Amino acid sequence: MTKNESSNMTPMKEDYLKIIFELGGTQKKISNKQIALSLNIAAGSVTEMVNKLVKEELVEHTPYAGISLTKPGILLAEDLVRKHRLWECFLVYKLNYKLQDVDGESELLEHVTSEYLLDHLNEFLGYLTHCPHGGVIPDKEGNYEEDSHLVLEAVEDGTKVNIERFIDNHDLLTYLDDLELHIGDKLTVVSHAPFEGPVEIKLENTGEVRNISYKAAHYIFVK
């Protein structure tokens, strides 16, 4: 990815690359529906933007199979994610921001962050490998351990899982804060209500039962 190519990026294109990365688009095909759900936008808008990213050779689209990042798309997404998540760590761990309030600030900061500043920020934070909502932080060479891409909604009834991470979405993080659901929580999936109803879960440490909305259950990654 050259400087000229990256300068053609818009915040919306960057959001697409980051969400495709987060949903597992470095290794598998992601559906339009997954992107639409995650970004809370219409499926038609996703198709339009994906077509633009295909023309710029940042993503590949296989009809009826889905969307994945190309090598240039992966490199750009990794750089964006690294900057964004290091700033999230700084805001949460050093300035005591609430997790649901850091996305907008991190979005602004990532666009004015030089590699020099990023190196010093990374050192100051102690070379963290994950951000506060559980997402990986690629190192300077682009190395990182791949996240789980299994969403809570896709887990079969009766299965025990651990919460690994949340999608970086303000409304979701506020919702989960109200439900007191956290990274690392162990739970059992009890049942899925029909017709896109909630997913009922039981927390292992307290025995409490929670109902997670259908949409939110697509934003929670488990292992």
Side-chain angles (χ1 to χ4, degrees):
M1 177 63 55
T2 67
K3 287 185 178 179
N4 285 339
E5 286 175 310
S6 61
S7 67
N8 292 329
M9 294 305 295
T10 63
M12 182 57 73
K13 287 180 184 176
E14 291 177 353
D15 286 345
Y16 272 78
L17 293 178
K18 285 189 288 188
I19 204 64
I20 294 169
F21 175 91
E22 185 145 13
L23 291 169
T26 61
Q27 297 185 336
K28 64 177 186 177
K29 297 289 187 181
I30 307 303
S31 70
N32 278 31
K33 182 180 179 182
Q34 285 177 283
I35 297 172
L37 270 171
S38 298
L39 294 178
N40 197 28
I41 53 179
S45 298
V46 172
T47 301
E48 185 179 342
M49 180 58 79
V50 165
N51 288 338
K52 290 179 182 178
L53 294 173
V54 167
K55 287 179 182 177
E56 294 176 23
E57 300 182 349
L58 295 172
V59 304
E60 293 176 344
H61 180 222
T62 306
Y64 309 110
I67 300 134
S68 59
L69 294 168
T70 61
K71 185 63 176 176
I74 290 172
L75 292 173
L76 184 51
E78 288 173 349
D79 182 60
L80 292 167
V81 165
R82 174 173 154 79
K83 289 178 179 177
H84 190 88
R85 291 179 176 173
L86 282 173
W87 280 118
E88 287 183 328
C89 291
F90 177 76
L91 293 171
V92 171
Y93 299 141
K94 302 301 180 182
L95 298 186
N96 300 316
Y97 271 62
K98 293 197 75 174
L99 183 54
Q100 59 264 40
D101 295 332
V102 299
D103 184 56
E105 302 278 18
S106 300
E107 194 87 32
L108 293 172
L109 289 164
E110 73 183 59
H111 293 118
V112 293
T113 303
S114 67
E115 281 301 315
Y116 183 77
L117 173 57
L118 198 66
D119 287 344
H120 283 267
L121 178 64
N122 195 21
E123 181 182 5
F124 176 71
L125 292 169
Y127 303 101
L128 297 173
T129 59
H130 288 78
C131 72
H133 55 82
V136 295
I137 302 174
D139 69 15
K140 193 173 183 179
E141 286 73 40
N143 302 311
Y144 54 93
E145 185 177 339
E146 192 70 30
D147 283 323
S148 166
H149 300 294
L150 174 64
V151 295
L152 181 63
E153 201 282 328
V155 176
E156 293 184 3
D157 295 350
T159 306
K160 292 185 177 182
V161 294
N162 296 347
I163 296 179
E164 187 176 62
R165 62 191 173 94
F166 306 130
I167 279 185
D168 191 4
N169 175 284
H170 177 271
D171 292 341
L172 170 75
L173 295 172
T174 301
Y175 172 77
L176 296 177
D177 189 45
D178 291 341
L179 286 176
E180 298 182 349
L181 209 60
H182 309 290
I183 303 294
D185 282 353
K186 295 177 171 60
L187 57 90
T188 300
V189 176
V190 178
S191 65
H192 291 68
F195 300 106
E196 300 188 354
V199 178
E200 185 178 304
I201 64 168
K202 183 177 181 180
L203 296 172
E204 188 175 296
N205 62 333
T206 64
E208 293 178 86
V209 172
R210 299 270 195 278
N211 284 311
I212 310 299
S213 75
Y214 174 81
K215 190 171 184 180
H218 283 84
Y219 293 173
I220 301 169
F221 293 89
V222 297
K223 206 168 186 176

